[in-house]
Amino acid sequence: DMGYADLGCMGGKDAKTPNIDRLAKEGVKFTQFYSNAPVCTPTRAAFITGRYQQRSGLEWALGFTAEQWRRENGRWIAEPDKYAPGLVPRGNSIAQLLHVLGYRCGIFGKWHLGFQPRFNPTRHGFHDYFGVLTGHADYYKHNYFDGTHVLREGDKEVKAKGYLTDLINQRAVHFINDNAHRPFFLYVPHLAVHFPFHVPDDPAQVLTKENHNKGTRRDYIKMLERVDLGVGQMLTALEKTGNIDNTLFILSSDNGGYYLSDNSPFFHHKSTLWEGGVRVPCLMRWPDRLPKGTTSNQVGITMDLTATILNAAGLKPSKDIPLDGFDLLPIVTGKQKEIDRTLFWRIDREGRKQKSVRDGKWKYLKDDMIELLFDLDQDVAQRHNLNYRHPEVVARLRNSLAAWEAEMDKS
């Protein structure tokens, strides 16, 4: 839920993020990067698989109620919790593929790709896991607001004392130190800055159903700055182990910022397909391969990170299960010119039906019954609807979207 302009390197003014800003200063900053979805679960599914989340049937954030929802044959179906959906292991996750190459794979943080043990990260090729399985939890008690304890070590329930962000940072640092002399893949999906807005160093806070979504901008900033502290701790660990220059370090967000975030200059926020719901920061630092202190206007998306990481590790794409993502390294290293991309999004839920295409400079957005067209080169705030001036573009993108949906619904 980090906002596009919350970071100093992205124009932020009120939060201090020197360690994250260092990634931009010593690496590449993307200005046109997107999450695969406007909420967390589908974006995470896209990252783990390197493919559109629709292929996994996970198009919206998983709930944690008596009934879960899954999509089948173009419609949503309620299922009892014992049949709750999650990301099914198929042998092609990013961790499983890197495992084959001899990488030690660890994940510390929020999973949110299935609560049942059969969906646990350890079933997806991760050797080490510590974190919460659900979409949010008490940062001190590590419970969901119904009282269910959701902290896990591997697939076992575990108790731990401390602020969740600090615990995640500590585990990440230990993992770097423990694997200093072997190739490793470390995935650190912080729960912060997602609600509840529990600030560091104040364990008296109590999570309830009534207060779980209440907070202030200052609370949010304190949470973000503790994430930044962890980035600094990881960079220090890489320095001390001699791996600071040969490690690809990427930071991004799972969707646009929520109501306490700063999504400037974009309109709207999380849970929508307006730019504020899916345009996110992305930073890459890798001194051995990437230029220093550069900005890239290349359009990218979460599943591109999967392709980029796998190609950096030397893995050849599979013909059986091809990636939908795109390797960004040739472009950011200057070996290839920036290219236009065609990317798709969909929300198909009661109360919110949106579909969108980004094609070159054009952003087509179907918001319920209304068709909108924006020239993002001239109008990043999406204030000027051009659909009546360019009906041929609208028709082309509408048809492109229909073809993409047909392919996704067959997957």
Side-chain angles (χ1 to χ4, degrees), residues 235-257:
L235 288 170
T236 297
L238 290 169
E239 286 176 332
K240 289 182 176 179
T241 58
N243 291 314
I244 189 66
D245 290 339
N246 67 351
T247 298
L248 173 58
F249 198 127
I250 302 173
L251 183 137
S252 191
S253 185
D254 57 354
N255 47 250

Side-chain angles (χ1 to χ4, degrees), residues 28 55 124 205 217 258 311 322:
V28 180
R55 300 188 189 277
H124 287 274
Q205 300 166 97
R217 174 68 180 177
Y258 194 34
N311 287 333

Side-chain angles (χ1 to χ4, degrees), residues 368-387:
D368 199 3
M369 299 294 292
I370 301 172
E371 288 186 304
L372 305 159
L373 182 70
F374 302 100
D375 179 348
L376 294 182
D377 283 354
Q378 304 297 323
D379 180 24
V380 295
Q382 296 180 280
R383 288 292 182 262
H384 305 287
N385 179 19
L386 303 178
N387 69 331

